[in-house]
Amino acid sequence: DLFDDLELVALAPDAVDHPGGPVGFYLQHARAGAPVPQLGKWSWKRFVRLRTQQSSALATILEAGVLDRAYYEAQAGRAFVDDRSAVWHFLETGEPQALTLSPLYERAWYRSKAGVRMPMTFMHLLRSGQVEGAAGPHFDGATYLARVPESAEHPGGPLGHFLAHADAATPTVPAPDSGVEPASWGELRDRLLAAAVETGRQQALLR
């Protein structure tokens, strides 16, 4: 969707003869600062900036240990070869569609509580220390941090620490004023995973 090689060849026939083909021709000229067509809706500079942000986010999310791959695959309606592929799909496709890497994070909930509308909302959660708003109905980073101060040192902050140490019987950590009652982590995950499987199945029928 980002690169139309036929359109480029129509605009610049010499691209056919480039050793790297149309893609190599485009990259050589773009890096040299020569005028080049947009990549879809992106100019070359905006495209590079986006990819730089996504690459940084990819590393941060993988280190945070917050990915529940089975849960994400269920929402996406497909399997991924590894965690890196799943997170890249999230950054490129999944997050704009409101898919989530963890059952404890809901984008709409976090945006409402934290008052943010930025595109890469999940990265805002990780980089803000998770104290500007609850990640979702069943996890409030500020509440967990107050109970477990050492969670601040975890690469994934309070959410990453909870996911690393919780077992099936561990209660979730809603914000005190949310009106949400704690649930056992194992039961909640099973319920949300089942719902994600059904949602993914329905989405697959529409493709």
Side-chain angles (χ1 to χ4, degrees):
D1 293 338
L2 285 174
F3 187 81
D4 187 337
D5 54 347
L6 296 178
E7 180 182 358
L8 178 61
V9 169
L11 293 171
D14 290 347
V16 174
D17 300 320
H18 192 278
V23 173
F25 179 92
Y26 184 97
L27 292 174
Q28 177 183 337
H29 285 74
R31 288 168 177 162
V36 290
Q38 291 195 157
L39 285 168
K41 64 180 180 180
W42 304 97
S43 68
W44 172 249
K45 288 184 177 179
R46 288 186 65 201
F47 177 74
V48 170
R49 185 164 62 248
L50 172 66
R51 284 293 186 259
T52 300
Q53 292 171 342
Q54 289 175 325
S55 295
S56 175
L58 176 68
T60 298
I61 292 171
L62 289 173
E63 184 182 13
V66 293
L67 168 65
D68 186 328
R69 198 163 112 204
Y71 182 66
Y72 186 73
E73 288 177 336
Q75 298 166 82
R78 54 163 292 186
F80 298 94
V81 296
D82 54 23
D83 289 356
R84 179 176 294 271
S85 298
V87 174
W88 186 258
H89 181 275
F90 169 76
L91 293 169
E92 184 75 4
T93 304
E95 186 167 29
Q97 297 176 353
L99 304 187
T100 174
L101 296 175
S102 168
L104 292 177
Y105 171 76
E106 290 186 16
R107 185 176 71 159
W109 186 281
Y110 178 69
R111 282 184 165 189
S112 172
K113 301 303 179 183
V116 297
R117 293 293 183 271
M118 59 188 296
M120 298 176 72
T121 309
F122 190 67
M123 283 304 300
H124 183 275
L125 171 76
L126 294 181
R127 288 175 172 162
S128 69
Q130 303 176 37
V131 296
E132 295 188 14
H138 280 277
F139 192 80
D140 179 51
T143 299
Y144 187 78
L145 184 62
R147 297 178 187 174
V148 190
E150 62 270 24
S151 66
E153 304 303 318
H154 191 278
L159 179 59
H161 187 277
F162 177 88
L163 293 171
H165 292 86
D167 59 27
T170 302
T172 58
V173 190
D177 58 351
S178 67
V180 177
E181 292 296 323
S184 66
W185 167 229
E187 180 183 347
L188 176 69
R189 182 186 179 276
D190 289 347
R191 186 168 74 248
L192 294 178
L193 178 59
V197 168
E198 179 60 23
T199 299
R201 186 188 68 80
Q202 293 177 3
Q203 291 297 322
L205 294 175
L206 299 176
R207 295 192 185 107

